[in-house]
Amino acid sequence: MAIRQIRMRDDEALYKKCKTVVKFDEKLGILLDDMYETMQKADGVGLAAPQVGILKRAVVIDVGMGKIEMINPEIIETSGEQTGNEGCLSFPGLYGEVTRPNYVKAQAQDRNGKKFIIEGEELLARAICHECDHLDGVCFTSHVTKYLDE
Ligand code: NI
């Protein structure tokens, strides 16, 4: 495993629509392992492939309930609402208030291509929304209603 460089703020990789993953090969596994290690080292709860410069639809999440890997994720159901402070490893030191659904149901594939369904509430729901946004080139800054003073 290796730590990859996290793309910051104005990096164009953060603003592009990512491609569907079609090859579930060893290279994808290495990418996911590296992303998880990079996220942990940076003390984050989620990381999307474009944040390490790879424009593919892959994310890793760990909100303290174990590692979740989602390939080609799609949010299929949401409900409720939560408003809270959000940050992003690509925007160190920047936090702002973002409203997200309180419950999210998503479908995705694992690193072997097997489909699964995941449901999350609160922080997990927020993380799924945040990371899925990254795959469409959307950063949390476009949802912030109020920035926190540092
Ligand atoms: Ni982010």
Side-chain angles (χ1 to χ4, degrees):
M1 294 206 279
I3 302 290
R4 302 210 184 187
Q5 194 191 337
I6 298 178
R7 304 298 182 94
M8 298 294 172
R9 289 170 182 266
D10 296 331
D11 193 298
E12 61 178 23
L14 297 176
Y15 302 95
K16 298 220 162 121
K17 193 169 165 69
C18 297
K19 292 198 172 119
T20 301
V21 173
V22 291
K23 271 204 215 160
F24 295 83
D25 55 6
E26 194 188 346
K27 204 174 157 193
L28 177 66
I30 291 168
L31 170 66
L32 290 163
D33 289 342
D34 287 356
M35 283 169 60
Y36 189 68
E37 196 181 356
T38 303
M39 179 194 86
Q40 285 205 306
K41 175 118 190 283
D43 213 14
V45 299
L47 190 72
Q51 291 182 275
V52 293
I54 306 293
L55 299 180
K56 288 184 179 168
R57 304 187 81 81
V59 310
V60 294
I61 290 172
D62 191 338
V63 294
M65 301 189 297
K67 175 166 70 171
I68 299 166
E69 295 176 346
M70 301 176 81
I71 317 300
N72 302 324
E74 273 182 63
I75 292 170
I76 52 177
E77 200 182 314
T78 63
S79 71
E81 206 178 86
Q82 57 174 319
T83 300
N85 288 315
E86 201 165 309
C88 177
L89 292 179
S90 294
F91 296 82
L94 192 67
Y95 298 93
E97 207 170 80
V98 177
T99 299
R100 302 279 192 186
N102 195 53
Y103 163 87
V104 166
K105 185 181 194 177
Q107 62 177 27
Q109 286 165 277
D110 68 14
R111 63 167 66 198
N112 301 308
K114 190 170 183 283
K115 286 188 177 159
F116 67 96
I117 299 275
I118 183 167
E119 292 176 290
E121 291 183 318
E122 298 172 6
L123 182 57
L124 181 55
R126 178 177 293 281
I128 291 170
C129 294
H130 179 118
E131 301 312 328
C132 286
D133 268 356
H134 272 303
L135 304 181
D136 291 321
V138 175
C139 290
F140 85 109
T141 46
S142 55
H143 298 302
V144 170
T145 45
K146 191 174 100 190
Y147 282 101
L148 266 197
D149 291 331
E150 283 174 44

